[in-house]
Amino acid sequence: MEAQLLQVDGIKVGYGQSEVISQLSFGVGVNEIVAIMGRNGMGKTTLFKALMGVLPARAGTIILAGKDITKAEPFERVGSGIAYVPQGRMIFPTLTVEENIKTGLRTAKESVPPKIYDIFPVLKDMRHRRGGNLSGGQQQQLAIARALASNPKVLLLDEPTEGIQPSIIKELAEVLKRIRTEQGLTIVVSEQVLSFAMSVADRLLVLDRGRVVHESPRDAVDVATMGRLLSI
């Protein structure tokens, strides 16, 4: 069985008195891409915030590379090897592209690794332009580049195709697969667009009200079943 780099076991997460995620368990293997799918409000973003430590898990455990990070602060999780691209990208619009990427580096004295610009050549061309002046697709590339600057083991991407034109979505899928291959990265991506998930993920999980209700390797996905689970 493939080694589990990230293991989530029975976590519960919520806001106030409301429980959004209940007894959620799954694992992600080394060098695997897993898509977490589901309709709006089913717990995808809440899950990612819990993995990153932005929201505390009320129960259960989160293990990264054999280390229990359930109680770790977000900055400690970054140090352990998790990088997070939130929904909406959240770049710094008044900083330049290069300054944005440098915020992801471990020390202020470091320069942007050449591999970042090799993966995203458009960012090299625009490195002195303000982040707020980039297109939606370019901002998504910038957000991923900033996350990669910390040299993570696991990359979390929350709704990366949101607000991006179809041609850029295809490019994004290829970039993620390239990153996985070249850097041996494990990627967890939350998504609603089935075609994107099918093009990039090795395995697909569907959340419904904070629980995994369906799981399938990409090659065995029943599109009709997935369509029903993801329909409003």
Side-chain angles (χ1 to χ4, degrees):
M1 183 176 178
E2 187 178 75
Q4 298 292 293
L5 182 62
L6 178 66
Q7 184 68 48
V8 178
D9 186 17
I11 64 167
K12 294 183 179 181
V13 190
Y15 303 85
Q17 298 300 313
S18 174
E19 187 172 272
V20 178
I21 291 176
S22 177
Q23 298 288 342
L24 178 60
S25 300
F26 68 96
V28 186
V30 175
N31 204 31
E32 184 181 24
I33 301 178
V34 170
I36 307 290
M37 307 201 69
R39 305 186 306 276
N40 282 333
M42 292 298 108
K44 300 188 304 297
T45 294
T46 299
L47 169 61
F48 275 52
K49 287 181 177 180
L51 294 176
M52 200 60 215
V54 178
L55 282 174
R58 297 174 176 176
T61 58
I62 302 171
I63 307 295
L64 174 64
K67 179 182 178 181
D68 189 338
I69 61 169
T70 311
K71 303 297 184 183
E73 296 292 332
F75 74 91
E76 294 173 321
R77 299 187 194 210
V78 172
S80 295
I82 291 185
Y84 178 41
V85 179
Q87 187 177 17
R89 298 176 281 276
M90 302 298 182
I91 64 155
F92 299 103
T94 60
L95 297 184
T96 66
V97 165
E98 189 164 291
E99 289 169 340
N100 264 278
I101 298 173
K102 284 184 174 182
T103 65
L105 295 171
R106 296 186 183 251
T107 67
K109 294 182 179 180
E110 291 181 78
S111 58
V112 176
K115 66 182 180 181
I116 299 292
Y117 288 140
D118 183 47
I119 295 168
F120 301 109
V122 68
L123 297 183
K124 183 176 182 179
D125 295 338
M126 298 182 173
R127 62 188 180 278
H128 301 305
R129 187 176 298 186
R130 288 188 178 185
N133 293 334
L134 303 184
S135 68
Q138 290 163 349
Q139 288 186 11
Q140 186 61 269
Q141 291 182 57
L142 177 56
I144 296 171
R146 179 180 61 189
L148 292 177
S150 67
N151 196 29
K153 299 182 182 79
V154 177
L155 177 63
L156 306 177
L157 295 168
D158 193 5
E159 301 278 8
T161 65
E162 184 178 59
I164 297 178
Q165 63 191 51
S167 61
I168 302 300
I169 290 175
K170 287 185 178 181
E171 290 180 19
L172 180 60
E174 293 305 314
V175 164
L176 293 181
K177 287 186 286 187
R178 176 185 173 187
I179 292 169
R180 184 263 294 274
T181 300
E182 294 183 358
Q183 300 188 30
L185 198 61
T186 295
I187 300 174
V188 186
V189 54
S190 81
E191 191 53 67
Q192 293 188 67
V193 179
L194 181 56
S195 59
F196 175 78
M198 291 283 288
S199 68
V200 72
D202 302 303
R203 188 159 47 97
L204 289 77
L205 281 65
V206 180
L207 290 190
D208 191 330
R209 298 173 187 173
R211 293 177 180 269
V212 175
V213 295
H214 185 75
E215 178 178 351
S216 175
R218 179 186 58 214
D219 294 342
V221 166
D222 184 321
V223 175
T225 298
M226 292 291 288
R228 287 195 301 272
L229 291 170
L230 297 173
S231 64
I232 299 174

